Amino acid sequence: MSYHRGPSDPIETKKLNESAVPGQMIVKGLPMQVPESVVQQNAEKKRVKKGILGGSEERFVFGKTLYLPYLEFTYQYSTEKGFLSKQSVLRQGRSVVMALREVNLGFYPELISLLPQLADIEPASGSVVQGVESTILVSERLDELKRMLSDYDNQLLGLSKQDDSLTKTDSARQEIKENIDHLKKTRETRWKMFADGLKLPSKIDLQRFEFLEGNMFYMPYFLARFSRGGESRFLVWDREGKENETIAEELMKNAKFRDLIRLYVAG
């Protein structure tokens, strides 16, 4: 597990603390399926093991169950059907995204199957992380994707024109072709992350893509922070008591996410 070093900006942390409004509330969500004591024991085992392997003892900073926000949303888009008629067909779908501007981990269509299990739950005071309650978040990410793909297309067009202007023996052609291949792969990866998460066909007109409505729900995670010699690491367990490396790694590399979590832990 990698480490991040040093505390965050104290002024920024102060601003975050001043904006916090923790309190008791009832939300739609899924409860923990294992007692918190079980994941606390797992965290302690991890701490002891790391201390032995590292040659010095690791300190347990905090461990707390927080309810992270998710947005279940619907969308629609049109596709063309038929080779001759080119009939426009309206299609709809559903997916899930973590409803935080500080974090962009893609989509979670697999969580749709859990929605019938949602119930009113009353988490411990201050443990519900506030999220973006409308589809504005995914709309913003769609706009960002459109700009990104357009930028890649413009770069590819420019490189193709350069390539066409060179002779077959020009030594610069190989470098240009490598740049073109790299940009194409990068563009394809960006699009695939979006398309796979929404189960979209390979080609659609994003200008006709529309988000309809969304509903918030919450998932519990036990987050633990450990520290040793001025460095710290995070471990995360999900509601089933399984480690979630994706969220843990995001906490390690994403300062905004760390500050947000620290805010709720302190509250």
Side-chain angles (χ1 to χ4, degrees):
M1 176 64 70
S2 60
Y3 283 81
H4 74 82
R5 177 178 291 276
S8 61
D9 184 345
I11 297 177
E12 188 65 27
T13 301
K14 182 174 183 294
K15 290 180 180 178
L16 286 169
N17 283 322
E18 288 174 349
S19 65
V21 189
Q24 198 75 3
M25 61 191 304
I26 295 176
V27 298
K28 286 289 185 183
L30 295 170
M32 288 289 284
Q33 292 184 329
V34 297
E36 188 173 282
S37 59
V38 173
V39 284
Q40 286 177 334
Q41 291 172 6
N42 291 337
E44 176 62 13
K45 290 177 183 178
K46 291 283 185 177
R47 183 195 69 82
V48 172
K49 182 179 180 181
K50 188 71 175 183
I52 294 173
L53 294 178
S56 61
E57 186 173 1
E58 189 174 47
R59 183 171 62 91
F60 184 85
V61 180
F62 68 72
K64 184 174 181 177
T65 298
L66 292 179
Y67 285 76
L68 299 185
Y70 286 81
L71 184 75
E72 172 265 319
F73 60 91
T74 55
Y75 56 88
Q76 67 182 19
Y77 60 95
S78 61
T79 57
E80 291 183 343
K81 183 180 180 180
F83 293 103
L84 299 177
S85 63
K86 296 295 183 181
Q87 179 185 359
S88 181
V89 179
L90 193 64
R91 303 184 185 277
Q92 293 188 347
R94 298 169 74 193
S95 193
V96 173
V97 66
M98 185 179 286
L100 293 172
R101 282 196 171 90
E102 294 85 355
V103 184
N104 187 356
L105 298 175
F107 300 102
Y108 302 87
E110 66 276 9
L111 296 183
I112 292 292
S113 64
L114 297 179
L115 296 181
Q117 302 177 35
L118 291 177
D120 289 340
I121 55 177
E122 189 175 1
S125 178
S127 66
V128 177
V129 179
Q130 298 297 303
V132 182
E133 297 185 11
S134 75
T135 56
I136 186 173
L137 176 67
V138 283
S139 294
E140 289 172 350
R141 290 179 179 170
L142 174 61
D143 290 340
E144 180 184 5
L145 176 68
K146 290 177 182 177
R147 291 192 297 270
M148 188 178 299
L149 295 181
S150 177
D151 183 53
Y152 284 137
D153 289 340
N154 289 334
Q155 291 183 56
L156 285 169
L157 180 61
L159 287 172
S160 295
K161 288 181 178 179
Q162 288 184 46
D163 184 57
D164 291 341
S165 67
L166 299 175
T167 63
K168 292 183 178 181
T169 57
D170 197 312
S171 59
R173 292 197 72 183
Q174 181 59 34
E175 182 178 353
I176 290 177
K177 287 186 178 297
E178 290 177 357
N179 288 337
I180 289 175
D181 290 341
H182 174 72
L183 277 174
K184 284 183 177 178
K185 289 178 181 178
T186 304
R187 186 193 190 284
E188 181 181 350
T189 299
R190 295 288 187 178
W191 165 248
K192 187 174 175 58
M193 289 172 60
F194 186 83
D196 287 356
L198 298 183
K199 300 185 182 302
L200 300 177
S202 58
K203 292 183 179 181
I204 68 167
D205 183 358
L206 284 179
Q207 302 304 321
R208 298 182 181 180
F209 192 95
E210 180 184 6
F211 293 107
L212 302 177
E213 60 180 357
N215 298 289
M216 291 277 289
F217 68 95
Y218 290 83
M219 297 275 282
Y221 293 91
F222 183 81
L223 290 82
R225 180 188 172 200
F226 307 89
S227 178
R228 177 174 57 200
E231 296 182 329
S232 64
R233 66 173 177 142
F234 291 85
L235 292 178
V236 179
W237 285 265
D238 65 18
R239 59 191 291 263
E240 297 177 343
K242 300 176 182 178
E243 281 194 59
N244 187 301
E245 294 183 357
T246 300
I247 295 179
E249 290 175 1
E250 187 69 15
L251 278 167
M252 295 302 302
K253 66 183 183 182
N254 186 334
K256 290 183 178 180
F257 191 25
R258 284 199 306 274
D259 287 341
L260 178 68
I261 293 305
R262 204 154 26 220
L263 168 67
Y264 282 87
V265 170

